[in-house]
């Protein structure tokens, strides 16, 4: 539900229309002042009044769950997104007269109005509803992670107060341009005000867990011909598919400077789930890179450096940072590239997250995951025929420390991409080639 935020200096309100109330609307305004009876042309009595509204917002079954201010009581533009908390709606200088001619500050009037809105379970001050969402139906650990998040972050909310996508995953399409899929599940990543939504950490944890499990699942992957021969040599036996929870470095299968250190092992695989994109091939590769784990992690997370290892890139921008510290970064990025001879721009909008592996960055290494997002801006924008939107269904880079060699690392790359520019029959072959090129382009910087 919502309530009106506009303030008009003079408004004629019919006494009949006052009694009409839509089932899904609730109007909350301050007491009218300077009321004067007016008789219209039909002989019907109406009242001309001035009113001041507190804000616009959304209601749950038992209270307000979202609130947007009305710009200090002045009449805002219908398109205004300015927000403040209840306590700062007024600067204390505005005032108006009541029926007795007494001066009252707008602040006191708003306090009176706010009291009538109780009970207020929670106020999430935001300019607009969440606008960025991510798929989670294929993440087996999401349900558990969401349950943990609720108990640690918003356990005080009753079941009726939980909002779809914000407090619990939901199959309801988050954007009007989407069709409903009862098997899908969506989670909001932002709160509409540039901050992370309550379930972001749960979604990221589930994404990391699912991606790592898939990258170490031998049964999911089929090695190509050249990789199968390399594996038979036994030199990679103690390195490939080594679980990341070992909390320590891995041995290097080849010494620095040896011919074998240039090997790139590649696999293709298929997902066991039946959710969105399951029919598209996934690609896995593993290789040695003569760069420290931290340097490589920083390179891949730094959007300003993408062109150094991706010659088709025309840039990547971070449009929102949800979390950032020395050990963990979570952000929303938009990457653009122009493949040769295509004549169009390829766009990827992703959640991008990095954290340390068990054991820490110096002993274990780092993991970077990415996944396509659904953004309200795209749903509202006019389609550009020169732009192709692709989706990273699952992206993973595992960067592992090598025993006794702090300036070298093992990288495991997993890609599960959906793009309208790639025919299904060519997806596997092109994916394998792209994986090898990615490793070689990274090595060229060493």
């Amino acid at each position: 539900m919502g309530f009106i935020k506009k303030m008009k200096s003079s408004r004629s309100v019919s006494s009949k229309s006052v009694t009409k109330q839509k089932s899904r609307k609730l109007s909350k305004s301050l007491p009218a002042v300077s009321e004067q009876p007016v008789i219209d042309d039909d002989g019907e009595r109406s009242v001309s009044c001035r009113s001041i509204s507190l804000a616009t917002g959304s209601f749950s079954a038992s209270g307000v769950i979202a609130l947007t201010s009305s710009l200090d009581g002045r009449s805002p533009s219908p398109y205004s997104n300015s927000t403040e908390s209840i306590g700062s709606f007024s600067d204390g200088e505005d005032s108006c007269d009541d029926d007795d001619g007494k001066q009252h500050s707008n602040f006191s009037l708003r306090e009176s109005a706010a009291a009538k809105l109780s009970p207020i379970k929670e106020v999430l001050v935001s300019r607009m509803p969440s606008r960025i969402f991510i798929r989670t139906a294929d993440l087996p650990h999401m349900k558990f992670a969401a349950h943990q998040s609720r108990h640690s972050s918003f356990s005080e909310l009753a079941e009726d107060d939980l909002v779809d996508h914000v407090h619990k995953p939901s199959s309801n399409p988050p954007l009007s341009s989407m069709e409903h899929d009862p098997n899908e599940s969506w989670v909001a990543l932002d709160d509409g005000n540039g901050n992370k939504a309550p379930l972001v950490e749960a979604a990221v944890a589930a994404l990391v867990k699912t991606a790592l499990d898939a990258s170490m699942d031998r049964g999911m992957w089929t090695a190509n011909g050249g990789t199968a021969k390399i594996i038979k040599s036994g030199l990679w036996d103690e390195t490939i598919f080594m679980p990341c929870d070992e909390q320590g470095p891995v041995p290097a299968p080849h010494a620095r400077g040896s011919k074998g250190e240039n090997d790139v092992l590649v696999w293709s695989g298929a997902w066991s789930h039946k959710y969105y994109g399951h029919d598209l091939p996934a690609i896995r590769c593993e290789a040695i890179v003569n760069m420290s784990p931290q340097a490589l992690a920083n390179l891949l997370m730094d959007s300003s450096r993408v062109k150094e290892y991706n010659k088709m890139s025309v840039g990547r921008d971070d449009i929102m940072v949800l979390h950032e510290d020395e050990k963990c970064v979570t952000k929303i990025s938009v990457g653009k590239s122009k493949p040769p001879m295509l004549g169009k721009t390829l766009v990827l909008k992703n959640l991008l997250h990095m954290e340390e592996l068990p054991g820490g960055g110096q002993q274990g290494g780092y993991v970077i995951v990415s996944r396509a997002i659904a953004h309200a801006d795209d749903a509202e924008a006019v389609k550009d025929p020169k732009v192709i939107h692709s989706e990273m269904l699952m992206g993973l880079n595992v960067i592992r420390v090598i025993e006794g060699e702090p300036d070298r690392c093992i990288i495991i790359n997993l890609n599960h991409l959906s793009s309208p520019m790639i025919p299904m029959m060519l997806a596997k072959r092109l994916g394998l080639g792209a994986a090898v090129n990615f490793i070689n382009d990274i090595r060229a910087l060493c």
Side-chain angles (χ1 to χ4, degrees):
M1 303 179 187
F3 56 91
I4 299 173
K5 73 174 181 180
K6 298 180 181 178
M7 181 195 78
K8 298 186 177 179
S9 59
S10 179
R11 181 178 181 184
S12 179
V13 182
S14 169
S15 59
K16 291 183 179 180
S17 65
V18 171
T19 61
K20 295 181 180 180
Q21 183 177 9
K22 294 182 179 180
S23 60
R24 298 184 62 83
K25 295 289 184 180
L26 177 63
S27 175
K28 288 283 186 181
S29 62
L30 295 178
V33 294
S34 303
E35 296 186 2
Q36 296 180 349
V38 176
I39 307 299
D40 61 20
D41 295 337
D42 298 328
E44 187 174 344
R45 184 181 184 277
S46 61
V47 175
S48 177
C49 65
R50 291 169 53 238
S51 64
I52 301 172
S53 68
L54 178 67
T56 57
S58 301
F59 284 86
S60 66
S62 58
V64 177
I65 57 171
L67 191 62
T68 304
S69 79
S70 299
L71 291 173
D72 293 332
R74 294 183 292 275
S75 179
S77 161
Y79 307 104
S80 171
N81 289 325
S82 176
T83 62
E84 297 177 9
S85 64
I86 291 177
S88 60
F89 276 175
S90 174
D91 56 13
E93 297 177 358
D94 295 337
S95 64
C96 60
D97 297 334
D98 64 9
D99 292 339
D100 298 326
K102 296 181 179 180
Q103 293 282 324
H104 293 282
S105 69
N106 284 337
F107 178 73
S108 63
L109 288 174
R110 291 186 187 94
E111 280 187 321
S112 174
K116 296 182 180 181
L117 294 177
S118 60
I120 299 178
K121 291 294 185 181
E122 179 183 11
V123 178
L124 302 177
V125 180
S126 60
R127 289 184 174 88
M128 60 188 73
S130 299
R131 298 179 64 80
I132 304 175
F133 305 86
I134 191 173
R135 298 178 187 269
T136 60
D138 63 317
L139 308 180
H141 310 282
M142 184 63 207
K143 184 176 181 180
F144 175 73
H147 179 76
Q148 281 191 317
S149 182
R150 177 180 179 183
H151 281 274
S152 61
S153 302
F154 46 92
S155 59
E156 73 281 359
L157 292 181
E159 190 68 29
D160 290 344
D161 293 324
L162 300 181
V163 181
D164 282 355
H165 310 128
V166 177
H167 299 114
K168 58 182 179 179
S170 174
S171 64
N172 293 325
L175 304 178
S176 59
S177 58
M178 296 177 174
E179 294 184 3
H180 182 254
D181 180 357
N183 296 318
E184 192 49 80
S185 180
W186 293 93
V187 166
L189 295 179
D190 74 313
D191 65 353
N193 197 29
N195 303 309
K196 64 181 180 181
L199 288 181
V200 166
E201 293 179 0
V204 167
L207 184 63
V208 170
K209 175 66 173 172
T210 302
L212 286 176
D213 287 352
S215 69
M216 301 301 165
D217 182 1
R218 289 177 179 267
M220 177 177 171
W221 304 102
T222 301
N224 75 339
T227 297
K229 292 180 181 179
I230 293 174
I231 292 175
K232 287 182 179 179
S233 69
L235 295 174
W236 283 82
D237 287 354
E238 296 183 14
T239 305
I240 57 172
F241 298 112
M242 181 70 68
C244 291
D245 55 5
E246 295 295 327
Q247 300 188 17
V250 294
H254 296 284
R256 180 189 290 272
S258 66
K259 182 180 178 180
E261 78 166 347
N262 294 319
D263 290 342
V264 180
L265 287 67
V266 290
W267 296 258
S268 60
W271 299 90
S272 58
H273 65 73
K274 299 300 179 183
Y275 298 107
Y276 182 77
H278 70 91
D279 53 334
L280 297 171
I283 305 298
R284 182 191 192 274
C285 71
E286 189 162 352
I288 300 172
V289 175
N290 291 328
M291 189 183 297
S292 74
Q294 185 176 20
L296 181 53
N298 290 339
L299 172 67
L300 297 179
M301 289 298 293
D302 189 343
S303 293
S304 68
R305 300 184 64 188
V306 173
K307 294 181 182 180
E308 294 182 27
Y309 55 88
N310 184 350
K311 304 309 178 185
M312 294 187 296
S313 173
V314 294
R316 190 178 78 193
D317 297 315
D318 300 330
I319 62 174
M320 184 181 298
V321 177
L322 300 173
H323 179 84
E324 185 173 22
D325 60 36
E326 294 181 355
K327 299 181 179 181
C328 177
V329 177
T330 307
K331 59 186 180 179
I332 306 298
S333 300
V334 181
K336 298 180 181 180
S337 60
K338 286 189 175 181
M341 298 174 18
L342 182 62
K344 296 185 178 182
T345 301
L346 183 65
V347 177
L348 284 169
K349 281 192 174 184
N350 290 331
L351 166 71
L352 190 58
H353 171 82
M354 180 198 75
E355 65 181 59
E356 294 182 339
L357 287 170
Q362 299 300 316
Q363 290 296 314
Y366 302 87
V367 56
I368 300 173
V369 291
S370 60
R371 168 158 286 199
I373 61 164
H375 200 299
D377 287 356
D378 297 330
E380 298 165 0
V382 177
K383 290 186 178 181
D384 186 345
K386 294 184 179 181
V387 174
I388 297 177
H389 289 271
S390 297
E391 295 179 272
M392 180 59 71
L393 305 180
M394 180 72 78
L396 171 73
N397 285 291
V398 181
I399 304 169
R400 309 196 69 170
V401 176
I402 291 180
E403 292 177 350
E405 299 184 83
D407 57 347
R408 300 177 83 202
C409 63
I410 299 289
I411 182 171
I412 302 168
N413 174 261
L414 185 159
N415 270 299
H416 187 210
L417 180 69
S418 173
S419 177
M421 65 173 285
I422 302 177
M424 179 70 77
M425 64 181 68
L426 299 178
K428 177 180 174 181
R429 181 164 64 87
L430 292 176
L432 292 171
V436 175
N437 291 337
F438 169 72
I439 296 298
N440 290 332
D441 288 339
I442 292 291
R443 285 172 169 170
L445 300 177
C446 299

